[in-house]
Amino acid sequence: GSEMCIRDRLQEHPDIIVFNKPTTGVILWRLHSNNQTKELFSLLPDGSASFIDYKDHFWIRNVAANPLADVEVLWENIERALKTLKR
């Protein structure tokens, strides 16, 4: 299903750390530094993800089970944000 796709893509990306295996259809992921994670989040479209502070790390939170979240669009937004960060 689409839930696997987004998590698999996040896990395969060298710059992204995915928090364990989500059990509730919620995916938590981050970059290597809090500053980068915060900046990346600010580049994502409003409503596509939420931002939490957990165990001294900033995490970007996506609800994989969200039928409104088109995986392709979400992934394009994430990749675009990552490219912007690397400039």
Side-chain angles (χ1 to χ4, degrees):
S2 61
E3 182 178 334
M4 280 307 292
C5 291
I6 196 70
R7 191 186 321 139
D8 288 349
R9 289 181 195 191
L10 288 166
Q11 280 177 328
E12 281 165 16
H13 198 289
D15 297 333
I16 293 173
I17 299 156
V18 178
F19 182 78
N20 297 339
K21 288 229 180 229
T23 48
T24 54
V26 172
I27 303 168
L28 293 181
W29 56 281
R30 65 183 177 87
L31 299 180
H32 292 279
S33 83
N34 278 345
N35 286 344
Q36 283 180 314
T37 303
K38 197 171 190 175
E39 197 174 336
L40 179 72
F41 177 72
S42 74
L43 296 168
L44 294 173
D46 286 349
S48 63
S50 50
F51 185 76
I52 64 166
D53 185 343
Y54 179 66
K55 293 191 174 175
D56 300 326
H57 287 293
F58 293 154
W59 296 88
I60 295 171
R61 179 179 176 274
N62 286 105
V63 180
N66 182 355
L68 299 173
D70 182 315
V71 170
E72 292 304 322
V73 173
L74 180 60
W75 185 246
E76 277 170 29
N77 288 326
I78 291 168
E79 284 199 311
R80 193 177 306 128
L82 285 164
K83 282 188 186 115
T84 303
L85 273 187
K86 287 190 163 169
R87 273 185 202 140

